Each structure stands twice: as structure tokens, then as C-alpha cells.
Amino acid sequence: MMLFKRLRIPFLTITCSGVILVLGKLILAPNSSRYTAKPFVFPSEVPLAQWQSLHSQSLFTPIVWQPNLMTSRNYQYQQNNLSLDIEMRYLVPTNGNVQELLQIYTTLPASAQMRQQEEVGFYYLLVDEQQAHLSSCINPRGKTTVTEQQFTGNGNRHDLQLNRLLPWLMGEVQLRDRRCLWTHLSISVENTSPSEAYQILEKAWFSWYQWWQPRFPKS
């Protein structure tokens, strides 16, 4: 009880200071909450270990489909007789639901296997008659996610930090960073089994994530 009494005043001071800062922001700079993500251009070439880069091009997507799509690009790679296709889409804002994105942008079956790699995060694996696919959302901070719950939880852990309070008050960032680099890899299963194709996709995905995570678009 005595400890609570000693900590009560500092706690109330911090709480009141936070409230005053927020009110001051809303009164003095109401337009600062109208955050707009900075323009971003995907690089024309991205290195991928053990794969030869062939070419890349912008993806055509009608804006009416997904107004929060900032930009997109397709990358193609080759390894011996294997061809790897990677589609990147920069979404701002998003709820991080990869199943919904697959329904909007593809005709793939709804069923998908969720996998997790400790150092990378979550991703989906799925297969159709011709190709095996891997799909996931690279977050601004933290690990990759595929569901809305994972996306929100990752944001709670990494966005709500004291070092982001001042930039938010200045209108430089959103307190909740709801951006995502949605990544979709695919490879043919014509000459390989789905399980073997999954292993190839996973290895490529881990390398791809390691390159992109520190290069996530600046907010």
C-alpha cells in the first residue's frame, strides 16, 4: 500500500502529461493526423541467393479493386530448369488478412497451410493444379504475418513504443503503422512434388525476407 502511494503521484503526472500532449496535438495541429505514406518505387532488381534474376515489371491492377494499393512489381528468377515468380504489393493501410488478399487478386483455392519459421514469422503455403505458392505480409517492424489477428498483435508489440510518440505528435508517422509488403511466390509443380516445391519456396522466401525487412519503405 505504501509503495502504491509513493508511485501514485508520478503515475498520475505521466498520465496527465500524455493527455495534455495529445490534446495539444489535436488543438494546435489537427491536420497532422492526416498522415499520407511517402511514395515508394520498387527497385527494378532484387538479389536472391542461388537464383538468377531474369527481369521485373510493374503489375497492372485496377485501382477500383484495391484503393490502398500504393505500388506493385513482379520479379522473375531462374535456377537451373526452375522458374520462380515473385509478386510484391505495397499496401497502405491494410488489415493484414492475406486470405482476403488472395481472394481479391487471385483465383487460388481458399484452403492454405499456415507455417511458421521462428526467425521470420508466419506464411501460407498452397497449391493448385499447376503451381505451388507461398504468401505472407512483411511488416514495417517485427515478423511476418498472414492473419488480421497476427498483424494487429505485431503492431501492438512494435508500434506502441515511446520512441514513436514524438514523431506521431509531429504528424510524421501513424501511431499504428498499418502498412504491409504483401509477398507472393510461386513455382511450377510440373516436374516436382508439392512438398519439394514448398521446400524450394521456403528457402527462397527466407532469403527474400532477410533482404526486404531492413529495407521496408520509410514512413
Side-chain angles (χ1 to χ4, degrees), residues 81-82 130 187-194 196-197 200:
N81 295 325
L82 294 174
Q130 298 179 329
I187 192 172
S188 173
V189 292
E190 182 178 357
N191 298 315
T192 186
S193 66
E196 292 174 334
I200 296 171

Side-chain angles (χ1 to χ4, degrees), residues 197-208:
Y198 285 162
Q199 293 178 16
I200 296 171
L201 287 173
E202 287 174 323
K203 188 174 181 179
W205 163 237
F206 299 153
S207 296
W208 190 259

Side-chain angles (χ1 to χ4, degrees), residues 49-62:
Q50 299 182 358
W51 289 87
Q52 178 186 356
S53 176
L54 297 180
H55 65 273
S56 71
Q57 61 185 2
S58 298
L59 287 167
F60 172 74
T61 304

